[in-house]
Amino acid sequence: MDKLKMQTVNNADENYRKLAEMFPNAVTETIDENGEVVRAIDKDVLMQEISCKVVEGREERYQFTWPDKKKSVLLANAPINKTLRPCREESVDFDNTENLYIEGDNLEVLKLLQETYLGKVKMIYIDPPYNTGSDFVYEDDFAQSVDEYLANSGQFDEEGNKLLKNLDSNGRFHTDWLNMIYPRLKLAKDLLSDDGVIFISIDDNEVDNLRKCCGELFGDQNFIAHIIHKNNSMKNQSKYVGVSTEFVLIYAKNIVELNNRQPAWRCKKKGAAEINATFKKMKDSGLSLTEIREEIAELYSRPKYAHLSRWNKVDEYGIFMDSDLSRSNGPKDFTIINPYTGKECLIPNRGWGKSKEELLKLQKENLIWYGDDTTPPRMKSYLTDESESVFDNFFFADTSIDKKSIDKMFGSQVFEFPKSLEMLKQIISLCSEENSVIFDFFSGSATTAHAVMQLNAEDGGNRKFIMVQLPEETDEKSEAYKAGYKNICEIGKERIRRAGQKIKEESPLTTQNLDIGFRVLKCDTSNMKDVYYNPAEFEATLFDTVADNIKEDRTPEDLLFQIMLDLGVLLSSKIEETTIAGKKVFNVASGFLIACFDENVTEETIKEIAKQQPYYFVMRDSSMANDSVATNFEQIFATYSSGTVRKVL
């Protein structure tokens, strides 16, 4: 049996392996500064293979760099001995939900998810710190002690990961922010599916640097759009020009794959056909045009139909939008008669854009909208079942509505600057599919989770969310702290609970199967003692004291989730707990993984597990009842399930 690694992958090792596969003749060995023989890449051979110029030294070249950039790359690649521990008491419907809420530093969590969620996330949305001179950024120096953190800033989480207030007086103002965001984006890219997309909210301070970061990590060819997000109010720090906009940058993982699978974000045929069918049904039921307009407006408020909202007028023939009938220097020596009033129509200031014959033809076909006597007529374009539209790069969001909604939900002002629920619903609807995984690793008040549940309720989807948030402490003077919420994670989890319940209460008949639950997982140190990773560092006389390589405060379920991470098993997988010959056994994902961590496991237990033919079987190295069980272990599996991959802790 093989021993599990129980730590994250070393991305540098993985990158070296890929390069060695592509150019095996460039792989060599050399002596490092310690006199050790180490792996290396022969630059001259690699240059010959790629047949392009390699820039060295101070030779001028186009590049984007900053102090410590190399350190941030190393930080992204370095492995960690961490795990995610389940917390049932804070979860909702733990055994059945497919949603995850993860507490911890998002850099560590991104590393932990690399194997399990590699290429499985359809959409990422993040709203990172904007670097305004008052936002906190993560200081990823995991070697510093808590005492040092206290001395430096007084801001740290329970793991000792510091939150540093990045003041604009800091000489490393942009450097600190870039060192924070770069390794996280580097790791996040690997989680996206080939046709996956990332949306990143940002403001003026770092939008240029963020675009350069994304251009380097995702490739300029994968840039999709730069959305302008307008708020209903100006920022307090506006001095010379009132700033009421923020931005959302959109990048594809691979624009070619995105185009192959989804040529454009056009919601066509189905949405338009449904709107037209709704119009016909309402008209046949005798509703007035005013009532129909109100119903259609309500439909357009839903993300599923928002792209069609330009067709916002209704007459007895259908739903239409209007467009200009004028052109510069057009003729002004004729007009047409409004058939409803008998009066001549107003001539456009710029002149007609069509001839009189064309206007009369449009009039005969009922394709002219007359408005009132003070405006020139306009041309109708009716909504057809084939009508389509693309997403606009300008989005207005009245965030005061979101703030009031959360205040009402909690009964107090627990979160000052929530994200726009409507914007998130629209962008999730735009690029996700029925079963997509949506990921937000700067979760905040968990607006993304709320949007996923709301959208699923509206269109019958089964999207899953993964939220990640550092348990930043709330200010003791804040309303959130007074209401009992000691950190942001407590607010986010409670919002998901309350929002999910509200969605079900509002639509009880259509949300019976809606997943409003979530598994809470908390980032923590590894379940394994140091001897598990570095046995050579322990003297033989000490092995009696560390005979059990698992920490005393860890549960079997803690071990199970670390194994799921190590083996790449989805953390939302169904887990069934059974008893076989008196031993507790975990069955994950319908027999894909079976694990048993009890002591004194007998042949009877091993045989029954082997008969279930799991893909993976994991147990503790020291848990076999006696030497006979250890001797017969391989023979039992050879007899009943030779294909099972056996692993030990």
Side-chain angles (χ1 to χ4, degrees):
M1 290 188 290
D2 295 328
K3 190 174 182 179
L4 287 161
K5 301 190 304 292
M6 302 295 271
Q7 69 175 20
T8 61
V9 297
N10 185 326
N11 283 341
D13 289 339
E14 183 64 16
N15 291 335
Y16 177 85
R17 183 190 64 78
K18 292 176 182 176
L19 195 61
E21 285 182 358
M22 294 174 65
F23 308 108
N25 55 333
V27 175
T28 185
E29 294 177 350
T30 188
I31 303 293
D32 68 7
E33 60 275 11
N34 300 317
E36 300 286 336
V37 177
V38 296
R39 68 189 185 192
I41 295 292
D42 189 319
K43 181 186 68 176
D44 294 330
V45 173
L46 187 60
M47 288 171 61
Q48 294 171 7
E49 290 287 351
I50 60 179
S51 299
C52 67
K53 183 176 179 60
V54 175
V55 180
E56 295 184 272
R58 297 188 177 184
E59 187 175 344
E60 290 184 358
R61 86 293 300 267
Y62 177 80
Q63 62 178 328
F64 176 53
T65 190
W66 63 91
D68 290 344
K69 181 178 181 181
K70 290 181 179 178
K71 176 185 172 184
S72 68
V73 174
L74 292 173
L75 186 64
N77 290 335
I80 57 171
N81 295 334
K82 292 271 189 170
T83 190
L84 296 177
R85 299 177 66 187
C87 183
R88 281 182 171 269
E89 59 271 23
E90 296 179 20
S91 304
V92 173
D93 198 17
F94 186 96
D95 290 323
N96 299 305
T97 185
E98 294 184 88
N99 301 316
L100 302 176
Y101 188 98
I102 305 175
E103 292 188 26
D105 184 293
N106 51 20
L107 181 63
E108 296 180 331
V109 174
L110 283 163
K111 290 186 177 189
L112 290 170
L113 299 181
Q114 284 296 296
E115 293 208 21
T116 307
Y117 287 90
L118 183 70
K120 291 184 173 66
V121 174
K122 182 60 188 275
M123 173 193 162
I124 296 174
Y125 170 80
I126 56 171
D127 185 14
Y130 280 3
N131 209 23
T132 62
S134 59
D135 287 305
F136 287 101
V137 296
Y138 297 74
E139 176 64 31
D140 297 313
D141 185 354
F142 303 120
Q144 282 190 276
S145 68
V146 173
D147 289 339
E148 287 174 309
Y149 284 142
L150 280 167
N152 286 336
S153 72
Q155 295 287 333
F156 61 95
D157 70 7
E158 57 193 18
E159 291 298 319
N161 297 320
K162 183 172 62 175
L163 290 171
L164 177 68
K165 211 164 197 177
N166 194 27
L167 301 176
D168 51 12
S169 58
N170 175 15
R172 293 168 52 89
F173 182 62
H174 293 293
T175 291
D176 284 346
W177 190 86
L178 287 166
N179 285 339
M180 180 277 296
I181 198 67
Y182 189 88
R184 288 164 171 81
L185 291 177
K186 190 174 190 299
L187 291 166
K189 178 188 175 184
D190 291 335
L191 301 183
L192 284 172
S193 59
D194 288 341
D195 63 339
V197 184
I198 185 169
F199 293 74
I200 310 171
S201 286
I202 198 66
D203 73 348
D204 291 292
N205 289 291
E206 297 293 350
V207 64
D208 293 335
N209 284 332
L210 178 62
R211 185 153 179 181
K212 290 186 180 78
C213 268
C214 291
E216 182 171 305
L217 292 169
F218 291 90
D220 288 330
Q221 73 277 10
N222 291 315
F223 172 72
I224 293 177
H226 185 145
I227 290 179
I228 300 169
H229 173 201
K230 187 176 187 329
N231 298 311
N232 57 303
S233 60
M234 288 184 288
K235 294 183 179 180
N236 294 332
Q237 64 265 36
S238 299
K239 295 178 181 178
Y240 306 108
V241 175
V243 178
S244 61
T245 56
E246 295 171 350
F247 310 101
V248 180
L249 298 185
I250 312 176
Y251 280 81
K253 169 79 170 286
N254 185 324
I255 197 73
V256 175
E257 286 296 323
L258 181 63
N259 288 336
N260 286 341
R261 302 185 194 186
Q262 197 172 5
W265 285 336
R266 298 175 184 272
C267 186
K268 57 184 179 180
K269 294 185 180 180
K270 183 178 179 181
E274 289 175 354
I275 293 288
N276 279 328
T278 300
F279 167 81
K280 185 176 185 304
K281 185 176 180 180
M282 288 188 291
K283 185 182 177 186
D284 291 345
S285 66
L287 290 179
S288 67
L289 289 179
T290 299
E291 291 172 316
I292 293 175
R293 288 189 189 100
E294 291 173 353
E295 290 292 327
I296 296 298
E298 194 280 325
L299 285 176
Y300 285 158
S301 70
R302 303 178 187 177
K304 182 177 181 179
Y305 304 112
H307 66 289
L308 299 172
S309 59
R310 291 187 299 163
W311 285 271
N312 56 6
K313 292 182 173 60
V314 178
D315 65 14
E316 62 271 29
Y317 301 106
I319 303 164
F320 66 93
M321 63 177 171
D322 59 292
S323 56
D324 197 1
L325 272 171
S326 70
R327 76 163 185 264
S328 296
N329 300 318
K332 297 182 178 180
D333 57 347
F334 63 84
T335 188
I336 56 175
I337 303 297
N338 183 331
Y340 298 101
T341 65
K343 297 180 181 179
E344 290 187 344
C345 292
L346 197 67
I347 299 173
N349 288 332
R350 302 194 309 162
W352 294 108
K354 295 184 181 294
S355 67
K356 186 169 185 177
E357 290 73 20
E358 289 174 317
L359 290 173
L360 292 173
K361 183 174 185 295
L362 290 173
Q363 190 176 57
K364 185 177 180 180
E365 294 172 350
N366 188 42
L367 292 177
I368 291 182
W369 179 62
Y370 299 95
D372 55 43
D373 292 338
T374 64
T375 58
R378 293 171 65 84
M379 184 170 142
K380 292 181 183 179
S381 296
Y382 282 97
L383 179 69
T384 71
D385 289 357
E386 302 296 319
S387 296
E388 60 181 38
S389 182
V390 294
F391 192 71
D392 198 325
N393 78 327
F394 181 87
F395 187 92
F396 175 77
D398 188 350
T399 50
S400 65
I401 295 175
D402 296 277
K403 187 175 179 301
K404 289 175 183 176
S405 175
I406 292 182
D407 291 351
K408 183 179 180 181
M409 185 182 293
F410 283 87
S412 61
Q413 185 180 319
V414 297
F415 206 84
E416 194 170 357
F417 302 109
K419 304 164 194 170
S420 167
L421 181 65
E422 283 304 314
M423 183 186 77
L424 278 165
K425 283 167 59 181
Q426 286 209 28
I427 63 177
I428 293 170
S429 174
L430 189 69
C431 65
S432 68
E433 296 160 354
E434 183 178 343
N435 294 300
S436 295
V437 175
I438 313 299
F439 187 32
D440 183 347
F441 53 91
F442 285 97
S443 173
S445 66
T447 308
T448 304
H450 187 169
V452 168
M453 294 188 298
Q454 186 70 55
L455 191 57
N456 284 342
E458 291 175 5
D459 67 9
N462 186 35
R463 302 170 188 85
K464 297 94 175 170
F465 63 74
I466 303 175
M467 301 292 105
V468 180
Q469 177 61 43
L470 188 75
E472 303 171 30
E473 293 181 359
T474 52
D475 192 311
E476 292 185 9
K477 297 178 182 178
S478 68
E479 290 297 319
Y481 188 90
K482 293 174 185 176
Y485 302 102
K486 300 302 186 289
N487 62 58
I488 292 178
C489 289
E490 293 180 6
I491 297 172
K493 288 178 289 189
E494 186 61 20
R495 178 180 183 179
I496 300 173
R497 295 184 192 105
R498 297 190 183 203
Q501 196 59 41
K502 183 173 181 289
I503 291 169
K504 284 220 164 189
E505 289 173 355
E506 290 177 344
S507 305
L509 297 179
T510 58
T511 59
Q512 293 177 357
N513 299 318
L514 181 67
D515 184 358
I516 59 170
F518 56 96
R519 284 182 178 175
V520 174
L521 305 172
K522 299 191 178 185
C523 189
D524 204 342
T525 57
S526 172
N527 295 311
M528 317 308 291
K529 294 177 180 177
D530 289 343
V531 65
Y532 183 88
Y533 300 103
N534 304 298
E537 296 179 7
F538 289 81
E539 296 180 21
T541 55
L542 296 177
F543 275 113
D544 287 342
T545 63
V546 291
D548 191 344
N549 56 17
I550 298 169
K551 293 175 181 176
E552 287 75 11
D553 64 337
R554 303 307 164 97
T555 67
E557 202 162 53
D558 288 337
L559 294 176
L560 179 66
F561 272 83
Q562 187 163 2
I563 288 166
M564 290 166 69
L565 283 169
D566 205 70
L567 297 178
V569 180
L570 293 181
L571 300 177
S572 57
S573 298
K574 185 81 171 176
I575 301 171
E576 295 178 330
E577 186 179 316
T578 59
T579 301
I580 298 177
K583 303 301 177 185
K584 182 189 294 185
V585 174
F586 293 101
N587 185 319
V588 182
S590 301
F592 182 76
L593 163 66
I594 292 182
C596 178
F597 308 117
D598 285 2
E599 296 291 343
N600 300 314
V601 177
T602 64
E603 285 190 22
E604 183 181 358
T605 303
I606 299 295
K607 186 181 294 184
E608 290 304 314
I609 290 172
K611 286 180 178 180
Q612 295 183 40
Q613 299 184 331
Y615 186 86
Y616 285 114
F617 171 62
V618 179
M619 65 187 301
R620 294 169 70 165
D621 196 13
S622 60
S623 64
M624 295 188 192
N626 49 54
D627 291 342
S628 175
V629 177
T631 301
N632 294 329
F633 180 89
E634 293 297 339
Q635 184 58 46
I636 292 172
F637 270 94
T639 301
Y640 294 102
S641 184
S642 60
T644 295
V645 179
R646 284 88 78 184
K647 300 278 186 178
V648 294
L649 300 180

